[in-house]
Amino acid sequence: MKLRSVKKPAFPWFGMDIGGTLVKLVYFEPKDITAEEEQEEVENLKSIRRYLTSNTAYGKTGVRDVHLELRNLSICGRTGTLHFIRFPTAAMHRFIQMGRDKNFSSLHTMLCATGGGAYKFESDFRTMADLELLKLDELDCLIHGLLYVDSVGFNGHPECYYFENPSDTQHCVKRPCSLDNPFPMLLVNIGSGVSILAVYSKDNYKRVTGTSLGGGTFLGLCCLLTGCETFEEALEMASKGDSTNVDKLVRDIYGGDYQRFGLQGSAVASSFGHMMSKEKRDTISKEDLARATLVTITNNIGSIARMCAVNEKIERVVFVGNFLRINTVSTKLLAYAMDFWSKGQLRALFLEHEGYFGAVGAFMELLKSSEEP
Amino acid sequence: CAKRVGRASHSLDKSITLPPDEIFRNLENAKRFAIDIGGSLTKLAYYSTVQHKVAKVRSFDHTAKGDGEPLYEISVQEEITARLHFIKFENTYIETCLDFIKDHLVNTETKVIKATGGGAHKFKDLIEKKLKLKVDKEDEMTCLIKGCNFVLRNIPHEAFVYAKHADSEFRFQNTHPDIFPYLLVNIGSGVSIVKVESEDKYERIGGSSIGGGTFWGLGALLTKTKRFDELLQLASKGQHTNVDMLVKDIYGGAYGSLGLTGDLIASSFGKSATADKEFSKEDMAKSLLHMISNDIGQLACLYARLHNLTRVYFGGFFIRGHPVTMHTITYSINFFTKGEVQALFLRHEGYLGAIGAFLKGAEEDNPNQYSWGENYAGSSGLMSVSPDLNPMQRARSGTFDMLEMDRLERQLVNLPLLQDPSSYIPDTVDLTEDALAREYWLYCFEEALDGVVKRAVASQRDQPEAAERAEKFRQKYRHKLQTLRHQPFAYGSLTVRSLLDTREHCLNEFNFPDPYSKIKQRENDMALKYYQKVVKSLEELSWDQRQFALVRGLLAGNVFDWGAKACCIVMVVNVYHCFFIERPWLVDAYNQWIERLKGPPHKCALFFVDNSGMDIILGVFPFVRELLIRGTEVVLASNSGPALNDVTNSELQIVTERIAAMDPVIQAAVKEDRLTLVQSGSSSPCLDLSRLDKVLATVVRERSTDLVVIEGMGRAIHTNYYAMLSCESLKLAVIKNSWLAERLGGKIFSVVFKYEVPSKTQGQY
């Protein structure tokens, strides 16, 4: 038939990124299916499409981020919508079972997966659902996915944004911007842990360092300290809290600024420093604790990122990863930290599809693999 | 005679007893107080003058000398030296201690007390009320840096690397001739990272709010454990892998392409993001400890790299005496720098603030103009109150840790002839690492203690209380030996030298300044009588025979050492002529030496001398005389203060005068300044070439010294055996200890005759 002339992989088109906490899934829904094509389409392919596109929640924990979907996307000669779905890595086995139940292996599609889980769950996919994964490096995928999404834009708007007046809380505003000439950039990926990459071109990058104090640490500590259960809950509490009841500030020690070293009185001298005192521990609220945890983790990432940027002589710092999802406290704090401590030398940039770039990169690998003979 | 002082308020410990013999010593003469009050410990510093008995020698009038009269007069005099005292105790005792000080501070002109540390503010009124001194606050960081510079400069083996699983956990570093630049990472409640470029130039280049306060505060919230020490103990028992998400939890194994191993922590507390699991206190504390240590290590590395620094010292209450945190920080630094940077810790880290505050207040005394030495007798040593090593001691109330530093008469510098001052290690064997040797030498010094006590008493027969003092000396030194048996690292690397020096310090402490003074006098006297005869018989020999006789004479004289038991056997033999030692010797470079002597004369020889009596007079002087005749200038370096039967500079001056009176060759050389006497700056039976009198260094440089002779077991075997010099050197000794001789592959009285030419000048002659 006429479509055969265009080399393209068989549907369904997926890209998957299996992280330490979350699985990120992108699914391409073709919108240009002809009647003829629809007739030929096997039943379980249809059912998968219907299941994914007609729901916004899957099971108890799966979520489709409708607000992020990319519409009217032309890929490999097809036009459609790219959907963004996430669920906890803890539900991975249920997902694999679903793949088995829907007889996914009969579709002869390639399942492109990245993230550590691609390795960890590889044999489970094989034995439980008779599925072979195409395992991909997570950092390659991250960069490719990021550059792709930035190039197609966010439904006519820029993918990238920054904060104007980051050091002035009253006048700090989110502003869209383009990521033209993105290189070199320092890419800070905040998932459960943090990886920091210096990216010089699409295929030339290095992992500068990483830290284990990441999104997983924020959530883990919040759960222990406040008894909360989800990231949303933790963030909600944090948004209401005041970290200065938990942290010891410079002014708590010196009565004001520490002028000898140019430290502002409002700077945090010791995270959780007030909690050394029993009286203060006994009166502290959960919200304050959540806020302090968030601020501590965020500032630390900011500080390491800034040092790396200086060491690598890179001025543009791009923050991604699901830690930043619905987390304006952190994005603003990072923007402030980059600006303030570098005296305006560094600029923090953010992307709307925060944590999905690895999955998009894996998805693109699927398309690329079909181009080869 | 412990005095009970207990007028403390209800909130403070009332029952503490302060033994005044041991802590807050010399308060009568104290001045220039400084205090550093931290979160839990107070450090007090003051300066005192100490009256010491010293043995002085004075030449008699030459014209009045008669037969049988001693060579010179020995008198014991009082000398005043300066000492710095530092005492560390728990904040709970602060009021008791202030009362004690007030009661004992007899007559001081001091009006102010320098104060630093977070608690200085809180206790300001109390201090001012009790001591009637005005509290003058000093910046914490400035004090810290000043203190750090001071200990790095003045205390050998101050810095160490911590290796938990090594034979010796503490690996002490040589004092680098240039201590700058370095990075100081101070981990208090928060973290400050300071780059220090010179005495006065330093900058806080960064910091972090995640520090000791975070460990403590967050740890207390998570585990309901109040005390910092308890939290650390919990952590040392925990398993972090139950709480942390590791790389293998995400990947199922390693992340090979990035070289991240499976056991690496990917997300601290990553596994605790669940409500349906309980986590143990221990595991959470351990995870927290790793998280904070790794984070600090990472930042320190980033700053070190940015500023191109390789020496990074860690301090602050998070580190202080805690093997657990020293280990995790070391691990982190190794991980992040792949071994390029070593985490360094300081023995006296807890005192830095107090030392710095003190120095600020003492600027008019110019303390940095002098060299200072750690007094082993008055200092507690590393880990004296460590909860990890001594849980019992910690539980007991009122544990005091002390550091005393003596102001040295002379300013000490490196010997300019060291090939590489930064890698020079004086000591041949590090007993902290060599358990067998340690056991032997500790036993050996314990065995010798009776003899030392007897000699000390014998040296002061005219003083009835000498026996009592000697007994106190015995107890003190035995206690030191016991401490060192359990904590060989207490005063830096344990070496034969440090054992000898500690003994000298303890003897001095109990006013036995020079137990050998009379013996030395007698031996010098006797040897002088033979001098002319020896010189004459040497002159009768052929050149070849004479060179051999001269070397043999040096060796024979060196056997004659009161410190070694075996000498008695040799004494019966006619020491000079009949003494015979078969060649080849254990180390025998005699032929090379003779070949060298056939070449042009050396410009100037620096000779580090050893014993009094036969050694100096009948061994060294004839040898020196031959060098002078060859046209070589000679600098004789002798100890500034007494140690065993070693000839001191003042004794050597008299001896030289007397020889000059008998020998025109020596007389002319002295007159023409071709033979010079200098002090080594040391009072040790061993020799540290990195701490020598500044004048000596100048003389050596001015005279273009091209030969160094080091004589005797203490200076050429126990120390400097492997020392690399930039000029020719001769190291010679007779090994008078059978254990040591066997270890070197020989027997007792084996001879070491080591002649070395630095590789770059080899073949020049």
Side-chain angles (χ1 to χ4, degrees), chain B residues 157 168 170-173 425 427-438 441 488-489 492-496 498 718 743:
Chain B
H157 290 172
S168 63
F170 303 86
R171 268 183 290 136
F172 296 95
Q173 307 290 298
I425 301 170
D427 305 286
T428 307
V429 181
D430 183 346
L431 302 179
T432 28
E433 284 177 10
D434 188 336
L436 225 64
R438 176 168 75 236
W441 286 111
F489 48 78
S493 286
L494 182 67
T495 59
V496 174
S498 73
H718 291 317
R743 222 170 198 243

Side-chain angles (χ1 to χ4, degrees), chain B residues 663-697:
Chain B
D663 183 347
V665 174
I666 300 294
Q667 189 165 43
V670 170
K671 198 174 282 169
E672 290 155 22
D673 207 22
R674 284 182 289 114
L675 174 62
T676 317
L677 308 185
V678 294
Q679 338 192 0
S680 66
S682 161
S683 305
S684 165
C686 295
L687 180 63
D688 178 353
L689 296 177
S690 66
R691 279 167 75 81
L692 292 175
D693 193 329
K694 203 175 180 180
V695 176
L696 183 152

Side-chain angles (χ1 to χ4, degrees), chain B residues 227-277:
Chain B
R227 288 179 46 129
F228 179 74
D229 290 1
E230 288 168 34
L231 271 169
L232 278 182
Q233 286 207 321
L234 278 183
S236 61
K237 285 181 265 170
Q239 269 297 333
H240 76 102
T241 52
N242 296 332
V243 183
D244 289 342
M245 188 184 282
L246 309 185
V247 166
K248 68 179 172 205
D249 293 320
I250 302 175
Y251 271 80
Y255 185 178
S257 62
L258 286 182
L260 304 178
T261 60
D263 288 326
L264 200 69
I265 304 171
S267 175
S268 295
F269 288 90
K271 280 184 191 156
S272 64
T274 162
D276 37 270
K277 237 181 106 180

